[in-house]
Amino acid sequence: MLIIMSIFSFLFGSKQSKDSAIKRISASEFKEKINQKNVQLIDVRTPSEYKSGRIGKAKNIDFYSGKFNVEFNKLNKNEPIYLYCRSGNRSRQTAKKLEAMGFKEIYDLKGGIMSYR
């Protein structure tokens, strides 16, 4: 039984490999990192959600926008990028897209802005 579990774990284990560019981090770690320097901080919520309150000087790139790829291609893929949304779902999906686009260091706020406040 243990061998079968090990095989399943190997085949279907963590989707986030050790060499993944994506790191999901807690609200306290996120706050610490974005306050250290001028960072690429992106809010992927809708414009109306963004207007209701944002973190610091975050730039709004709507996850549902048709300009999603165009806007992200304007950013530096070699610099760390910090993402958040309302609850963490859209930012997690965004992180996967950005990794596929070649971004090297992606930080995703676990639990979104709801966990940050």
Side-chain angles (χ1 to χ4, degrees), residues 25-28 30-31 55 84-88 109-117:
I25 59 176
S26 68
S28 59
F30 195 86
K31 284 179 189 178
I55 297 173
Y84 71 92
C85 63
R86 186 181 65 81
S87 65
L109 174 57
K110 193 184 309 180
I113 198 169
M114 291 170 50
S115 71
Y116 190 85
R117 294 184 171 166

Side-chain angles (χ1 to χ4, degrees), residues 2-101:
L2 184 59
I3 294 171
I4 293 170
M5 294 295 285
S6 296
I7 292 169
F8 275 109
S9 178
F10 175 76
L11 293 174
F12 305 106
S14 174
K15 291 180 183 174
Q16 187 173 353
S17 65
K18 291 179 182 173
D19 58 348
S20 173
I22 304 167
K23 289 154 190 70
R24 294 190 68 218
I25 59 176
S26 68
S28 59
E29 190 175 357
F30 195 86
K31 284 179 189 178
E32 183 181 309
K33 288 185 174 289
I34 65 170
N35 287 323
Q36 289 178 356
K37 57 188 173 212
N38 190 17
V39 297
Q40 298 184 106
L41 177 60
I42 308 297
D43 181 330
V44 296
R45 298 175 301 156
T46 64
S48 62
E49 287 175 300
Y50 179 77
K51 288 176 187 167
S52 72
R54 65 181 180 274
I55 297 173
K57 296 180 181 179
K59 178 179 179 173
N60 183 222
I61 301 177
D62 184 357
F63 177 78
Y64 300 112
S65 167
K67 297 180 181 178
F68 180 90
N69 287 350
V70 171
E71 291 300 316
F72 275 106
N73 276 321
K74 293 177 183 177
L75 301 175
N76 187 335
K77 293 179 180 180
N78 296 310
E79 292 290 323
I81 188 164
Y82 296 83
L83 305 170
Y84 71 92
C85 63
R86 186 181 65 81
S87 65
N89 186 40
R90 286 174 281 181
S91 62
R92 184 171 40 254
Q93 291 177 58
T94 298
K96 290 176 186 176
K97 287 183 178 185
L98 297 184
E99 184 175 39
M101 291 169 67

